[in-house]
Amino acid sequence: MKYPNLEKLVDIIAVLRSENGCAWDRAQTHRTLRPNMIEEAYEAVDAIDDDDVANLREELGDVLLQVVLHSQIAKDSGEFDIEDVAKELSDKLIHRHPHVFGTTEVHSTQDIIDNWDKLKKEEKTYRKSVLDGISKSQSALMSAQKISKKVVKVGFEWDSVESLKECIKSEYKEFEEAVESGDKERMEDEMGDIFFATVNLARWYKIDAEQALLGANKKFTKRFKKMEEIKEKPLEEYTYDEFNDLWKRAKLEVED
């Protein structure tokens, strides 16, 4: 037995889902566990961002729990089991790495990526649109980034970064016109166009928009907490100018 603890985990989940197991585990379905899958994945990402190896080990265990539990639920319904999941993944990895498991020659990382996309397209012949297969559950920012990258691969791209910047300026102008009209629905629509165009600007410069915004969120949080730490009265009593001065002080005292 090469991975005894992995097999032990599969057996434990089977017992928990059995008639004499845990009532909570038996009651779970793919849909009831949906929030857990998302939450555990994000907690693992937090551990990665914090360079917390011990916590990452634990969080990866929680992600693995979701995989094994979903597989057991499917097995109980006669659909598939963890072995089927592992086989399908193994077959896919071998097929998509012909430069490792076959005779295909590659000369760069880009060759590997291009070959992966080509093989993936061959596998999923049921997809008719370039945009088919994009997750509907991921964040809007990540989705916009994925859409942008997909359409660019077939040539749908601005002719220059300057034209892209002009597009963003145009979207801001249209948003201002919507604000003047007082039409909230139109304002939301135009704000969405600003976001989407800005994601494309990030992509143009090979910046991960999701990571950029996460970084901005983290930076703002650190600075605001420093404001709370150095404030001389309740924040609710600060004027705009006082807030501005406090923010500047916080920026100087916090390392980004």
Side-chain angles (χ1 to χ4, degrees), residues 92-99 116 119-120 123-124:
K92 180 165 62 177
L93 289 173
I94 291 171
H95 182 240
R96 293 190 190 177
H97 290 83
H99 55 290
W116 176 283
L119 293 168
K120 185 176 180 179
E123 293 169 3
K124 302 182 183 296

Side-chain angles (χ1 to χ4, degrees), residues 204-235:
W204 188 285
Y205 287 110
K206 301 188 185 319
I207 294 169
D208 186 303
E210 180 78 6
Q211 291 304 311
L213 185 55
L214 285 171
N217 290 345
K218 185 176 181 179
K219 180 168 59 179
F220 179 88
T221 298
K222 287 171 66 177
R223 291 175 178 177
F224 192 84
K225 285 183 176 181
K226 175 57 70 172
M227 286 173 59
E228 293 176 314
E229 182 184 319
I230 65 177
K231 70 181 188 303
E232 296 163 353
K233 58 182 178 180
L235 290 177

Side-chain angles (χ1 to χ4, degrees), residues 52-92:
D52 190 337
V53 177
N55 191 35
L56 178 59
R57 182 179 61 235
E58 179 183 352
E59 296 302 342
L60 287 176
D62 291 340
V63 173
L64 179 58
L65 168 60
Q66 292 302 307
V67 174
V68 177
L69 187 49
H70 278 281
S71 298
Q72 185 62 44
I73 290 171
K75 182 179 181 180
D76 293 341
S77 300
E79 298 164 341
F80 60 82
D81 62 15
I82 190 68
E83 186 66 15
D84 296 320
V85 173
K87 181 183 184 306
E88 186 165 328
L89 176 58
S90 298
D91 290 347
K92 180 165 62 177

